[in-house]
Amino acid sequence: MGKKLSGGGLSPTQQAAKFLGVSVLSGAVMAGIALPAAGVFGLAAKGSVEEFDEIPANLQQPPLMQRTTITDANDNPIATVFARDRTLVDIKNISPYMQKAIVAIEDSRFYEHGAVDLKGILRALNENARSGGVSQGASTLTQQYVKNVFVEEAMDDPAKFREATQQTLGRKIRELKFAIQVEEKLGKKKILENYLNITFFGQQAYGVEAAAQRYFSKPAKDLNLQEAALLAGIVQSPSRYDPVNDEQEAKKRRNVVLQRMVATGDISQQEADKAKASDIKLKVSKPKNGCITATNGAGFFCDYVKRAFLDSPTFGDTREERVEKWNRGGLRIKTTLDPQAQESVQASLKDHVYQKDSVAAAATIVEPGSGKILAMGQSRPYGGESKKNETVINYSVDRRMGDSQGFPTGSTFKPFVAAAAIEQGKPLDQVYPAPYEMPYPAPISGCDSTYNNPAGDTVENENESEVGPYALKEAMEKSVNTYFVQMIADIGMCPVLEMTKKLHVTQGDGKPITEQPSPLTLGSDSISPLTMASAYATFANRGTYCSPVAIESITDANGKSLEVPKSTCEQAMSVQTADAINSLLSGVVDSGTGAKAGLSGRDNAGKTGTTDSRKNAWFVGYTPNMSGAVWVGSPTQSVEMQNITIGGRFHGKVFGGEVPGPIWRDAMSGALEGKDAPQFNRVHIPDGPKKEKPDDDHEDDGKPGRPGGGDNGGNDGEEPFPGISLPPDIIGGGDNGGNGNGGGNGGGWPEPR
């Protein structure tokens, strides 16, 4: 057996060769810097860095990823979002213990050397040569800071990250050059501040302020000796020294830091021993990140704000630029959300539709004239699909902005037909025969095609008692299908399509409304509540459409205001046409299908809508200062809302005036409380032809078993006694809503609609 070799098993010759190799590498580094010895020591003359490339601005003031705060219109926080949990703090707001601890453990000669610590390099070379490995590093705190800036810049880009961390001579030389420049430009105090703000402390905490809050639920300025030493020890290996997952390992490392602070003269041995004897006392706070933390059910609105940011060229020419800016964070985004309106919407949805129900509801309110989105909510909470009846799909918006396709709107589409007809010169007392049932008229001309009804499709009204002739006012109040089919046959499909373009009404997938009579009269295309609320706001705004906006203002991390997208407004129809629609739709909530949605004490208007098989029910309505849309139905379109319990209430049949109407009423009542009550500019709408009252003994005029019928039958399109099953012979007609014998025109008219 030969003599055991020292130096990790290397012979003296091998040790010398190893030392020589490392020394050559060190010489190469110094040669690469191309500085005299004085420069290496940080004592270079003023002109010693003139041959270097200009120092990047980000090394002086790095654009660190920070938290972004999203607020409502009153500047109250809604949610905090971030790619990295970081809050920048000034050096004066960092505990002196923390400043001393990090210097002691990471670079004890920080205040004595320049950017490069030659003494430290020689010590490391000697130790590494002796051990035969790399047991000791020599990077100064300044060099670590420079490297961290480049790593931060890489963010989640794998290629950039590899470039920032690769162990090459070229990268080390580049970092050393920049470190020398940083020392000259910033000085020790600022370098330390920047370092403590950029460094990763584990547990998703970047920077000392986030770390102090994460582990101790306190600001960095209040860290005591033990806490500061613990955080300083984490930096070398955040996973190994994580006090949450391995308290003993973290404590050992903390005590190493404390002893280093004794060696540097920052604390006495007695102070260190006392601190070492103390247990680690964590008070962990989990960071609240993302739209899931939004208040008052505003998670969907929060997500909409993010998408609006990433979708707008205002914040960058390419989506990649906008994503980087969003991830950088540090923004304060003030939105248009009215906290009073949002709270009212959520309260109404919660009261009328339960999370556990087989159907869902969504509601959105916008401000006519400005396009501001004031409220946005739904009955199913914002959250992961793994939980029952939670979702991240925003039912209020289209696919591009919330992954929803929208929903068929039923008769809420009819006001667009009426507006197009009035714009075409049709009189406000326009009369059509409007029979109970009829084939779709053919041919009907369109913009790009002609409809010929090759299959012989027919359309019918909800009740056999709904037989014309009707004028526009009564047809709108009762939502008579055959009337509006005859109207579109009269004016053609193109004027209606042109009207939808002016109102920016598109399908949820972004496609134009289908050029067919059914989508253009009975609302069979899928549209989002936000689109409908914005379109109806045009009526309230006397014919001027304003695009919806969610962002009021933005300031960056330095408090600088950024440009934000503005609503664009354009005249979609004449003032006279809008006033006429306002008068027509006021009748719907006064005495028509939407009577249960009507607001007391202020002008309001709206329209009900129900689709085939009652899979969707709508109410879209407005006042002069708010416009809102409410949808109720199955997101998968799999539930027929008949004999169903919603929000703890049984409904024989659900239609626009029955569930969505009351949701709209309660939501708008709370949203408008304490606000001005302006009035519409009304126009006179003629009643139309008089109809003779049917004989009370004509049993066939009111169809047994169906709501509808006589002068007082039903309740504004409702079942006469909602939630109570009655024999067929007393549901529907009759002067008193009783026996089905007098199927006149004044009874209820449930919507198909």
Side-chain angles (χ1 to χ4, degrees):
M1 297 289 290
K3 180 184 275 188
K4 186 176 181 180
L5 300 176
S6 61
L10 297 177
S11 68
T13 303
Q14 290 173 316
Q15 290 184 47
K18 181 75 174 179
F19 182 80
L20 179 62
V22 178
S23 299
V24 169
L25 176 62
S26 174
V29 171
M30 297 311 167
I33 298 175
L35 279 180
V40 174
F41 282 103
L43 303 174
K46 182 177 180 181
S48 64
V49 297
E50 289 179 356
E51 297 180 9
F52 289 177
D53 298 330
E54 182 63 27
I55 181 173
N58 60 2
L59 286 174
Q60 299 184 59
Q61 188 63 46
L64 303 180
M65 284 183 276
Q66 302 179 58
R67 295 184 174 205
T68 284
T69 301
I70 300 174
T71 77
D72 62 27
N74 292 346
D75 218 26
N76 302 309
I78 296 172
T80 301
V81 297
F82 50 84
R84 292 184 178 175
D85 183 16
R86 176 187 280 120
T87 302
L88 300 185
V89 287
D90 189 271
I91 191 73
K92 66 183 179 183
N93 289 319
I94 300 174
S95 163
Y97 287 124
M98 187 68 227
Q99 298 177 46
K100 294 174 181 178
I102 199 71
V103 169
I105 196 63
E106 290 297 319
D107 185 1
S108 61
R109 287 173 29 81
F110 176 62
Y111 293 106
E112 301 169 29
H113 60 66
V116 181
D117 183 6
L118 185 58
K119 184 176 180 180
I121 290 174
L122 295 175
R123 182 183 67 248
L125 287 172
N126 182 60
E127 176 60 29
N128 293 339
R130 186 195 65 78
S131 66
V134 183
S135 62
Q136 192 171 115
S139 291
T140 65
L141 194 146
T142 305
Q143 290 172 262
Q144 292 181 49
Y145 165 66
V146 170
K147 178 180 178 180
N148 280 341
V149 170
F150 292 131
V151 170
E152 180 82 12
E153 277 190 319
M155 290 198 295
D156 298 322
D157 188 318
K160 289 183 178 179
F161 182 81
R162 284 194 299 271
E163 182 182 348
T165 57
Q166 61 185 339
Q167 296 297 318
T168 64
L169 181 60
R171 183 186 66 78
K172 293 298 293 184
I173 292 174
R174 179 168 174 258
E175 283 182 6
L176 286 168
K177 285 182 176 182
F178 283 139
I180 293 171
Q181 290 172 291
V182 165
E183 284 267 347
E184 181 171 291
K185 292 282 187 180
L186 299 186
K188 296 292 187 180
K189 182 178 179 181
K190 187 63 177 178
I191 291 171
L192 180 59
E193 177 187 297
N194 287 358
Y195 178 84
L196 285 169
N197 276 313
I198 198 172
T199 298
F200 180 51
F201 288 87
Q203 291 286 331
Q204 304 176 47
Y206 289 82
V208 67
E209 180 68 16
Q213 294 290 351
R214 180 73 174 99
Y215 294 108
F216 304 112
S217 299
K218 62 167 61 175
K221 65 183 178 63
D222 294 335
L223 292 169
N224 62 29
L225 174 60
Q226 300 95 301
E227 294 164 345
L230 180 76
L231 294 186
I234 291 173
V235 171
Q236 186 185 78
S237 180
S239 57
R240 178 181 176 184
Y241 300 124
D242 182 350
V244 175
N245 295 321
D246 194 336
E247 184 176 324
Q248 289 306 311
E249 194 69 18
K251 187 174 183 179
K252 290 178 184 177
R253 179 64 177 170
R254 180 200 69 177
N255 291 348
V256 169
V257 175
L258 289 168
Q259 197 57 46
R260 284 296 302 152
M261 294 179 74
V262 173
T264 56
D266 292 315
I267 59 174
S268 66
Q269 188 63 57
Q270 183 179 6
E271 289 176 298
D273 291 342
K274 182 179 179 181
K276 289 179 186 179
S278 66
D279 293 330
I280 291 178
K281 297 178 181 179
L282 300 178
K283 187 178 180 182
V284 176
S285 295
K286 293 184 178 181
K288 294 182 178 180
N289 180 27
C291 291
I292 198 168
T293 66
T295 58
N296 283 335
F300 300 100
F301 177 78
C302 169
D303 188 72
Y304 181 88
V305 169
K306 177 181 179 180
R307 290 176 185 243
F309 184 98
L310 297 179
D311 192 60
S312 175
T314 304
F315 303 114
D317 294 334
T318 66
R319 184 172 179 83
E320 289 72 21
E321 288 181 48
R322 300 190 289 270
V323 168
E324 182 177 351
K325 186 174 291 186
W326 178 269
N327 287 339
R328 287 287 176 205
L331 307 174
R332 189 170 185 88
I333 303 175
K334 183 178 181 180
T335 72
T336 59
L337 196 75
D338 181 316
Q340 178 180 326
Q342 180 65 23
E343 184 176 353
S344 182
V345 161
Q346 280 303 122
S348 183
L349 288 166
K350 185 177 180 181
D351 180 54
H352 290 281
V353 183
Y354 296 161
Q355 178 181 347
K356 65 181 181 181
D357 288 342
S358 60
V359 296
T364 294
I365 298 176
V366 301
E367 182 178 67
S370 72
K372 293 179 181 179
I373 301 173
L374 304 180
M376 182 182 288
Q378 57 196 54
S379 61
R380 294 185 177 176
Y382 187 92
E385 296 285 357
S386 59
K387 293 186 178 180
K388 182 71 172 177
N389 284 355
E390 289 191 3
T391 183
V392 294
I393 297 175
N394 188 346
Y395 303 140
S396 283
V397 300
D398 57 23
R399 184 171 64 187
R400 182 174 60 89
M401 298 299 288
D403 299 323
S404 172
Q405 294 281 3
F407 306 97
T409 60
S411 292
T412 57
F413 205 91
K414 288 173 180 172
F416 306 148
V417 179
I422 295 169
E423 286 283 278
Q424 292 295 304
K426 291 299 175 183
L428 299 183
D429 58 354
Q430 176 68 45
V431 176
Y432 292 111
Y436 163 68
E437 184 178 13
M438 60 178 282
Y440 278 101
I444 303 177
S445 62
C447 299
D448 301 315
S449 64
T450 299
Y451 173 77
N452 290 302
N453 194 11
D457 293 333
T458 62
V459 60
E460 64 181 38
N461 299 326
E462 176 70 12
N463 290 301
E464 291 181 5
S465 62
E466 292 176 355
V467 178
Y470 286 113
L472 180 54
K473 181 176 185 295
E474 189 175 9
M476 184 68 80
E477 291 175 2
K478 294 184 176 181
S479 200
V480 179
N481 294 333
T482 56
Y483 178 93
F484 288 94
V485 168
Q486 290 181 319
M487 175 172 274
I488 204 169
D490 188 5
I491 66 172
M493 294 183 290
C494 198
V496 183
L497 289 169
E498 291 299 324
M499 178 58 66
T500 62
K501 289 179 182 178
K502 292 178 182 178
L503 294 172
H504 295 258
V505 174
T506 61
Q507 298 184 62
D509 59 5
K511 295 179 181 178
I513 300 302
T514 306
E515 193 172 37
Q516 293 285 326
S518 178
L520 293 174
T521 52
L522 305 182
S524 57
D525 277 350
S526 294
I527 304 172
S528 76
L530 176 59
T531 297
M532 294 299 290
S534 298
Y536 273 51
T538 307
F539 302 140
N541 197 34
R542 304 195 73 192
T544 299
Y545 171 85
C546 294
S547 61
V549 291
I551 299 174
E552 186 81 44
S553 64
I554 299 181
T555 54
D556 65 14
N558 298 316
K560 179 183 177 182
S561 294
L562 304 183
E563 183 182 355
V564 299
K566 303 296 183 183
S567 176
T568 57
C569 298
E570 55 194 13
Q571 198 73 27
M573 67 190 72
S574 69
V575 170
Q576 293 77 13
T577 295
D579 290 346
I581 297 296
N582 294 337
S583 300
L584 286 167
L585 298 187
S586 293
V588 173
V589 297
D590 287 341
S591 57
T593 59
K596 280 193 172 181
L599 304 175
S600 61
R602 62 174 68 237
D603 272 7
N604 62 115
K607 185 70 186 74
T608 54
T610 313
T611 63
D612 288 346
S613 303
R614 302 187 186 277
K615 292 182 179 179
N616 302 277
W618 287 74
F619 187 84
V620 187
Y622 55 95
T623 67
N625 47 356
M626 284 191 189
S627 175
V630 176
W631 162 83
V632 177
S634 164
T636 60
Q637 298 292 279
S638 59
V639 178
E640 297 184 5
M641 294 185 289
Q642 301 186 72
N643 299 316
I644 188 173
T645 298
I646 302 175
R649 302 172 181 88
F650 177 81
H651 302 276
K653 294 180 180 180
V654 171
F655 40 91
E658 174 71 10
V659 180
I663 293 175
W664 183 89
R665 177 198 63 213
D666 294 349
M668 293 288 282
S669 295
L672 289 163
E673 185 176 355
K675 294 191 168 52
D676 293 339
Q679 295 182 329
F680 294 128
N681 291 80
R682 295 177 182 268
V683 299
H684 174 66
I685 308 292
D687 287 332
K690 298 288 185 181
K691 299 185 182 67
E692 290 186 8
K693 181 179 177 182
D695 295 334
D696 288 344
D697 58 357
H698 195 293
E699 296 182 3
D700 293 333
D701 286 342
K703 186 174 181 179
R706 298 183 65 170
D711 291 340
N712 297 311
N715 181 11
D716 302 313
E718 315 291 331
E719 295 174 277
F721 305 97
I724 301 176
S725 298
L726 298 175
D729 62 344
I730 63 171
I731 297 179
D735 289 342
N736 295 308
N739 57 23
N741 291 327
N745 296 313
W749 37 84
E751 297 271 310
R753 325 178 201 225

